[in-house]
Amino acid sequence: MNALWTSAEIAAATGGTASSAFEANGVAFDSREVGPGDLFVALKGEATDGHRFVAQALSQGAAGVLVSQPVDGPHISVSDTTAALDALGAASRARTSAKVIGVTGSVGKTSVKEALFAAFDRAVPGQTHRSLKSYNNHVGVPLSLSRMPRDTRFGVFEMGMNHAGELRALTQLVRPHVALVTTVALAHGAFFADEAAIADAKAEIFEGLVPGGTAVIPYDNPHRDRLIAAAEEYAGQIVTFGRDPAADVYAREGKAGPRGTFVQAKLRGAELGFTVALPGEHWITNALAVLAVVEAAGGDLAAAGLALAELSGLPGRGRRLTIRLPDGDALLIDESYNANPASMRATLAMLGQERGRKVVILGAMRELGPDEARHHAELAAPIAAADVGLALLVGPEMKALAEALEGRIDLVHVPDAAAAAAQASSLIAPGDAVLIKGSNSIGLAGVVDALAGG
């Protein structure tokens, strides 16, 4: 059977009723993404109702639609489309024989998820599946599960959260064989009492492990022991990774340079030397996490090393672009998708290794809680350590950092991304290395587009 889903299978999984027989080769809940042969799931959200877009989805070639009210065209009728999407994701997980990996963490989970996909896909091309984009929430995770092909051998699923209890629900859907926490740091701090509470929320991922499953934990993190204690109840084995030689998977050697990072890794059953194509000290740790998971899942370590050597940055997460200027080019490092204090420090350290004048276009870090001003002001130290010559700061939350940097470097502070986009090109010179980073809600992707054309 080549179809991803038949209408009979969808009806059986969701408890719905099929209007007619059809086959679907994809699943989507955003009508803009619907293509020929897809199942369109008409979700009811706070802002809009997907049922308004059923006709559009069918006109774009949807094979059928999943709905909770009468419509024309081939459909599966259910009482609640959100619950039905959960059920479809659960049915996909139940039928697969794939090794399933769950990934969460305060920093790096999307990048590591993509690196894991590359590692497994290098060994078994076309038989590895992963969450697309950052589909990591209560609708993104079941959507990603429901899209998993029947013959998948490795499935990699990102899970995110900003409140306690969210990961508990998601991991019960994913039921990973291997569950990874990349790190614990201050992210979404406005919703938690402290970092220990964030660690507890991240540790919920272990609750969904299949019997005998593996928990993969960052050894160098200050909350390591808390994560281990949480994992012990659910994991058949616990594997740690980090720079410290006491970790199960560690770097005997790690040299980060501006064009890549060499790592000599000691694993539980092997030793591997390789180069990570992406620069930055944080990619040493990311690579160790990838290898720890690949080894735990029974994957091909040699293929993983080759995949790490071929990685390229994702839009908003390390993509390197060229800014064309009248008298020469400048380097643009696109980290515009998200930001918290830990990821800011890591990317600023990476910027410090680049040649030429260093320029930062930094947007506010959101959801940091009552210490927001202090966390922004404390970026002054890593900015100085990176030898930044010019800072364009975006958003009112950046006032504290602007005050901390006043008189120390060239400084421009603007209210929003539109103002930043209007001024940025006039501030950049040939040979500059420009880092753009901020919380996604600031909209710095527009500044990236303005400078490099998308």
Side-chain angles (χ1 to χ4, degrees):
M1 183 180 295
N2 295 321
L4 179 66
W5 294 102
T6 67
S7 54
E9 289 172 329
I10 299 167
T14 62
T17 302
S19 66
S20 59
F22 62 85
E23 293 184 346
N25 293 309
V27 184
F29 57 56
D30 185 335
S31 60
R32 295 167 296 185
E33 297 181 356
V34 173
D38 283 348
L39 172 73
F40 173 60
V41 183
L43 298 179
K44 291 185 177 181
E46 294 180 4
T48 189
D49 184 344
H51 291 84
R52 293 172 49 202
F53 305 101
V54 165
Q56 175 188 332
L58 291 169
S59 71
Q60 292 170 199
V65 294
L66 186 61
V67 293
S68 60
Q69 62 190 50
V71 297
D72 294 327
H75 64 272
I76 307 290
S77 179
V78 296
S79 59
D80 183 328
T81 52
T82 300
L85 180 60
D86 273 1
L88 193 63
S92 178
R93 176 63 184 88
R95 77 181 182 183
T96 189
S97 59
K99 281 291 182 70
V100 175
I101 291 89
V103 180
T104 194
S106 302
V107 180
K109 56 183 175 291
T110 301
S111 296
V112 169
K113 177 257 297 182
E114 291 293 326
L116 281 166
F117 170 78
F120 289 121
D121 191 60
R122 190 69 160 70
V124 288
Q127 293 183 287
T128 300
H129 175 74
R130 93 289 206 183
S131 314
L132 294 180
K133 300 182 180 179
S134 285
Y135 282 157
N136 62 18
N137 64 5
H138 66 287
V139 290
V141 169
L143 175 72
S144 297
L145 282 166
S146 70
R147 289 173 163 178
M148 183 163 51
R150 298 172 187 270
D151 62 350
T152 297
R153 290 180 58 184
F154 294 98
V156 187
F157 297 92
E158 178 182 339
M159 289 176 266
M161 65 89 198
N162 57 20
H163 289 84
E166 288 181 88
L167 276 176
R168 178 172 293 117
L170 296 178
T171 193
Q172 294 297 340
L173 274 175
V174 174
R175 292 193 296 114
H177 295 92
V178 183
L180 165 67
V181 176
T182 60
T183 192
V184 175
L186 186 67
H188 310 297
F191 306 117
F192 295 93
D194 51 29
E195 269 194 19
I198 295 173
D200 291 342
K202 294 296 184 187
E204 291 172 9
I205 193 174
F206 305 133
E207 297 178 22
L209 278 168
V210 301
T214 302
V216 181
I217 289 170
Y219 187 91
D220 303 323
N221 192 270
H223 305 287
R224 173 195 68 217
D225 293 342
R226 197 177 191 95
L227 293 171
I228 290 174
E232 284 176 337
E233 184 177 351
Y234 304 99
Q237 62 176 338
I238 296 172
V239 176
T240 59
F241 68 93
R243 299 300 300 271
D244 194 308
D248 297 314
V249 177
Y250 70 95
R252 288 193 188 277
E253 186 178 358
K255 295 180 179 178
R259 296 294 177 265
T261 305
F262 175 75
V263 182
Q264 185 72 28
K266 176 68 173 67
L267 292 90
R268 292 176 297 159
E271 188 160 339
L272 188 66
F274 58 96
T275 298
V276 184
L278 296 173
E281 188 78 14
H282 58 294
W283 266 104
I284 297 176
T285 306
N286 285 351
L288 294 171
V290 168
L291 294 178
V293 169
V294 169
E295 186 178 44
D300 186 326
L301 289 171
L306 292 172
L308 288 166
E310 298 166 351
L311 285 179
S312 59
L314 299 170
R317 293 184 173 89
R319 179 176 55 160
R320 299 167 79 88
L321 303 168
T322 299
I323 303 172
R324 305 293 183 187
L325 299 169
D327 298 321
D329 297 339
L331 168 67
L332 172 58
I333 303 170
D334 175 16
E335 288 275 358
S336 60
Y337 185 79
N338 216 340
N340 58 44
S343 65
M344 279 285 200
R345 288 191 296 271
T347 49
L348 285 166
M350 176 190 66
L351 177 67
Q353 299 176 358
E354 298 292 338
R355 299 183 182 92
R357 184 182 66 152
K358 282 78 170 179
V359 176
V360 293
I361 302 175
L362 301 181
M365 301 177 290
R366 295 273 168 88
E367 297 181 354
L368 293 183
D371 292 329
E372 173 185 272
R374 174 175 64 82
H375 290 301
H376 283 90
E378 286 177 349
L379 293 179
I383 286 172
D387 193 28
V388 171
L390 168 68
L392 173 57
L393 306 181
V394 185
E397 301 96 329
M398 278 296 187
K399 179 182 178 182
L401 178 57
E403 292 173 348
L405 291 174
E406 188 69 40
R408 299 169 62 180
I409 63 173
D410 291 337
L411 178 67
V412 179
H413 186 198
V414 296
D416 53 37
Q423 294 196 40
S425 60
S426 66
L427 300 172
I428 296 167
D432 285 351
V434 183
L435 170 66
I436 299 183
K437 188 168 181 64
S439 288
N440 192 42
S441 58
I442 303 299
L444 294 187
V447 182
V448 173
D449 291 344
L451 288 173

